[in-house]
């Protein structure tokens, strides 16, 4: 039975470095064999708002169902102003809410779900966002694999061309994270 991994990319930008990192990770995962990868499309998820939570928006129901169908999640995130990007934080806020509005005993879409993450950014290699993300994921009771994940730095040429190039060392780090994650699922 194949392992179902849902990728969540913390940037909606089409040429996002993190989308490119996810593509590289998908290549590595494909080499391992029996893995099914899907990338979550959440661009239509509205801002978290308790006023609309009771009449749950269809987009929120859809993404929750995709999360629940996955064996594990892998988040690829940039760092915006040393923090979690707003679109990703909003999505995680929706995931943290009870499945039955107002009934916290009903569980959430992510509690107990295995998750790992990594990110591409500038010289900081997403250090701050990964630390914040680890705290948030622990708080919403996800099972974090690989600690604070791994960070990668895009060089100046990447910012000019919109093309991420990973070194052999970067690829080896990503491969090791992939192996640890698959072993935990």
């Amino acid at each position: 039975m194949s392992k179902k991994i849902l990728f969540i990319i913390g940037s909606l930008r089409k040429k996002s470095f993190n989308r490119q990192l996810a593509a590289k990770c998908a290549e590595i995962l494909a080499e391992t064999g029996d893995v099914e990868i899907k990338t979550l499309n959440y661009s239509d998820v509205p801002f978290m708002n308790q006023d609309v939570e009771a009449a749950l928006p269809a987009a929120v129901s859809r993404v929750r169902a995709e999360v629940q169908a996955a064996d594990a999640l892998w988040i690829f995130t940039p760092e915006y102003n040393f923090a979690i990007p707003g679109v990703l934080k909003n999505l995680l806020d929706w995931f943290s809410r009870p499945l039955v509005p107002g009934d916290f005993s009903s569980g959430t879409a992510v509690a107990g779900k295995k998750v790992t993450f990594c990110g591409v950014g500038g010289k900081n290699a997403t250090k701050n966002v990964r630390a914040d993300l680890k705290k948030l994921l622990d708080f919403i009771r996800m099972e974090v694999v690989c600690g604070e994940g791994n960070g990668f730095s895009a060089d100046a040429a990447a910012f000019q061309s919109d093309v991420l190039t990973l070194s052999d060392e970067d690829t080896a780090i990503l491969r090791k994270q992939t192996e640890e994650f698959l072993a935990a699922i």
Side-chain angles (χ1 to χ4, degrees):
M1 186 171 171
S2 66
K3 296 176 182 179
K4 296 178 182 176
I5 301 173
L6 185 63
F7 283 3
I8 298 175
I9 301 167
S11 169
L12 300 179
R13 191 169 76 92
K14 288 180 181 157
K15 292 185 178 182
S16 160
F17 295 139
N18 286 281
R19 189 170 305 282
Q20 294 174 56
L21 182 64
K24 181 63 177 177
C25 184
E27 288 175 21
I28 293 169
L29 284 165
E31 295 169 7
T32 67
D34 209 12
V35 178
E36 181 183 325
I37 300 164
K38 185 173 183 178
T39 300
L40 185 68
N41 177 357
Y42 63 98
S43 62
D44 59 342
V45 171
F47 289 119
M48 173 57 208
N49 180 343
Q50 285 182 300
D51 291 341
V52 299
E53 187 176 12
L56 197 64
V60 175
S61 294
R62 178 185 53 78
V63 296
R64 280 182 177 175
E66 289 184 51
V67 165
Q68 289 177 293
D71 295 314
L73 308 178
W74 192 319
I75 299 171
F76 300 85
T77 186
E79 182 171 290
Y80 290 175
N81 297 318
F82 298 104
I84 299 170
V87 293
L88 178 58
K89 176 66 167 71
N90 181 62
L91 180 70
L92 294 170
D93 287 344
W94 274 113
F95 289 159
S96 74
R97 302 300 295 163
L99 293 172
V100 176
D103 180 2
F104 286 89
S105 68
S106 67
T108 70
V110 294
K113 186 75 65 176
K114 290 183 185 340
V115 62
T116 195
F117 52 91
C118 58
V120 177
K123 292 178 186 176
N124 193 29
T126 66
K127 178 183 174 183
N128 295 308
V129 70
R130 289 182 293 111
D132 287 349
L133 194 54
K134 169 76 166 78
K135 286 185 250 178
L136 175 61
L137 297 174
D138 284 341
F139 180 77
I140 62 176
R141 299 185 320 272
M142 295 189 76
E143 188 179 327
V144 177
V145 179
C146 302
E148 289 186 4
N150 292 296
F152 305 93
S153 295
D155 61 15
F159 283 100
Q160 295 297 317
S161 67
D162 272 343
V163 176
L164 176 67
T165 302
L166 294 175
S167 68
D168 290 343
E169 181 182 340
D170 291 340
T171 302
I173 291 167
L174 189 59
R175 188 174 303 280
K176 183 175 186 287
Q177 184 175 1
T178 300
E179 292 166 0
E180 289 176 23
F181 190 50
L182 286 175
I185 300 174

